[in-house]
Amino acid sequence: MKVAVLGFGTVGVGVYEMLGQAEGLEQGTVLVRAGKNDAAFKRTSIEDIISDPEIWAVAEVMGGIEPAFSYASAVLKAGKHFVTSNKALVAEKGLELSKLAYENNAGFMFSAACGGAVPILHNLSLAVESDKILSISGILNGTTNYILDSMQRLGLDYEEALKDAQRLGYAEADPAADVSGMDALRKIMLACAVAYNMLPTEGLLNEGIENITAEDVKHFMVRGYTCRLMVRGGRTDESVYAYVEPVLFRAGAPECSVMQNNNMACYEGENSGRISIIGQGAGRYPTASAVLRDLSGILSGRKYMLRENCRAVKAENDKFKQLYYVRLPEAMASLIPAESVDVENKTARLITKPLSVQEMHSKAAEIRKNGGKIFFAEIGG
């Protein structure tokens, strides 16, 4: 099967190289920006790929919504298989692309959009055929894991850890999508769609790590906690819950052993129990290997990750209650119901009474609206 590649950046180069070595797959043309077509296999027009009868599949590794969505739509309408590593594209346009794929008998796969080489979406798509998925969780952003790990094991402050991550290529020059939790949120959206046949597009909540300080880290490490940015997803009666937030784990929890920029994806099956997978969540070859896994899956007859009747839903993040660790100004401490409060230098650190995710995120938003600086993390995992 000859495969065209859209994009020739870090991952695109990896996909193209690996196509030359993969059994049953063959290098096709590569779409590049105008002025970058400096080799015979490079093209600057998507029409050259759409009209080529030798191209059976297209791998998109450009990123962004447009022109990726327009290209993907054209590819699928032409009856060619479409594989992507673009989580933003699938989170926003996945249902539309899935519909086009079924209408045109073309494959649509995207396991590389979540976890890089960690095959969480691939495994979920197989598991749902014989098991009921009870919950999904994990560390699905290597940038934030590297920052938190560096703050905790190396004693760096947030800015130092971020600069170190950027120097090593683990963080972008603009790290907003990673540190805000948005990147991880898109991944749990996709995982819910695969596991529960429902893509949450509203009601989603994400709290990142931008507000953590070195003093916070010292405070909870003295108490035996390690902080990780976690995704959570699962079924409710009519919908799903799906959110991202920092979580404090006691020593010995598996999440504490996930260091540097590694990912850890977990799901619990009714029959299988808890399954955990640890590995590289990004990078040229880890991500490219996931793209080729999808292409090989299409070769063997597995063409879809989303079922034909997958639908958009509003996430319900008010169904379960848990305790939170919160740091905020002393003057605002009364705004959050607490089981215990410690105050020092006009800063309050408290353990909340049981709150739903919706309640905690809403209270944090109210405090920030009124000028207060707050950090919070779920306790206990």
Side-chain angles (χ1 to χ4, degrees):
M1 181 169 72
K2 184 173 281 191
V3 181
V5 181
L6 308 187
F8 206 56
T10 298
V11 177
V13 170
V15 170
Y16 188 77
E17 289 179 1
M18 291 180 69
L19 282 170
Q21 308 163 11
E23 184 176 347
L25 301 174
E26 184 181 347
Q27 293 169 327
T29 51
V30 175
L31 185 72
V32 296
R33 295 192 302 271
K36 298 291 185 178
N37 54 330
D38 53 3
F41 65 88
K42 295 180 181 180
R43 300 288 187 276
T44 57
S45 171
I46 188 66
E47 292 304 321
D48 290 345
I49 291 170
I50 300 300
S51 61
D52 187 344
E54 294 188 356
I55 298 295
W56 282 34
V58 174
E60 183 269 315
V61 289
M62 302 165 54
I65 306 300
E66 285 293 354
F69 176 63
S70 295
Y71 292 168
S73 299
V75 165
L76 292 168
K77 288 176 182 177
K80 300 179 189 292
H81 307 304
F82 181 73
V83 170
T84 182
S85 64
N86 189 339
K87 68 188 77 67
L89 174 66
V90 183
E92 184 168 323
K93 300 291 189 178
L95 296 183
E96 294 176 59
L97 294 177
S98 181
K99 184 173 184 291
L100 284 174
Y102 280 103
E103 288 175 350
N104 293 280
N105 194 30
F108 173 43
M109 302 282 277
F110 51 86
S111 74
C114 179
V118 178
I120 180 62
L121 295 186
H122 174 77
N123 283 23
L124 284 173
S125 69
L126 297 175
V128 295
E129 296 179 0
S130 59
D131 204 354
K132 179 180 180 181
I133 307 302
L134 303 178
S135 64
I136 308 164
S137 65
I139 300 164
L140 292 181
N141 183 273
T143 300
T144 52
N145 202 66
Y146 183 86
I147 292 170
L148 290 172
D149 186 46
S150 296
M151 293 180 73
Q152 290 161 145
R153 288 195 301 119
L154 305 180
L156 304 184
D157 64 27
Y158 175 81
E159 290 298 333
E160 289 175 324
L162 173 58
K163 288 178 182 176
D164 201 27
Q166 290 171 322
R167 177 181 61 81
L168 293 169
Y170 299 153
E172 301 287 346
D174 179 2
D178 293 317
V179 300
S180 70
M182 178 55 68
D183 175 83
L185 188 68
R186 288 170 175 152
K187 293 171 182 176
I188 192 60
M189 291 168 66
L190 304 190
C192 285
V194 173
Y196 305 116
N197 207 31
M198 291 182 280
L199 176 66
T201 56
E202 299 178 75
L204 298 151
L205 297 171
N206 63 295
E207 175 73 12
I209 64 166
E210 313 104 308
N211 300 296
I212 194 171
T213 66
E215 194 61 34
D216 293 329
V217 171
K218 291 176 185 176
H219 192 266
F220 58 66
M221 286 188 71
V222 166
R223 288 153 179 78
Y225 287 113
T226 294
C227 186
R228 294 289 184 256
L229 186 69
M230 297 292 295
V231 304
R232 304 285 201 199
R235 280 295 303 267
T236 62
D237 289 339
E238 301 295 332
S239 180
V240 297
Y241 62 89
Y243 61 91
V244 176
E245 63 187 16
V247 178
L248 301 184
F249 292 97
R250 287 287 187 187
E255 289 80 1
C256 298
S257 65
V258 183
M259 298 178 182
Q260 297 189 327
N261 65 324
N262 283 305
N263 279 202
M264 175 181 181
C266 310
Y267 68 88
E268 183 179 358
E270 187 172 70
N271 299 314
S272 66
R274 178 182 164 106
I275 304 292
S276 300
I277 316 164
I278 299 176
Q280 285 290 311
R284 171 172 291 175
Y285 295 113
T287 304
S289 71
V291 172
L292 266 73
R293 181 175 61 225
D294 282 349
L295 291 166
S296 296
I298 288 173
L299 265 182
S300 65
R302 300 190 64 86
K303 294 165 57 177
Y304 306 108
M305 302 201 78
L306 297 180
R307 281 162 278 178
E308 195 167 3
N309 61 345
C310 185
R311 60 191 174 90
V313 296
K314 181 178 181 179
E316 297 180 337
N317 290 315
D318 59 350
K319 301 299 182 183
F320 311 104
K321 298 200 172 195
Q322 53 213 13
L323 302 181
Y324 284 90
Y325 168 99
V326 181
R327 181 260 300 150
L328 76 171
E330 177 186 4
M332 294 181 167
S334 61
L335 296 176
I336 297 181
E339 290 189 348
S340 65
V341 181
D342 293 325
V343 177
E344 184 177 356
N345 297 326
K346 297 184 179 181
T347 296
R349 299 180 187 273
L350 56 88
I351 305 300
T352 70
K353 292 182 177 179
L355 296 173
S356 72
V357 177
Q358 182 69 59
E359 289 173 321
M360 185 65 247
H361 285 244
S362 294
K363 289 182 180 298
E366 179 185 356
I367 287 165
R368 287 172 180 146
K369 183 179 179 180
N370 291 317
K373 294 183 178 180
I374 180 173
F375 169 78
F376 68 87
E378 174 192 333
I379 291 179

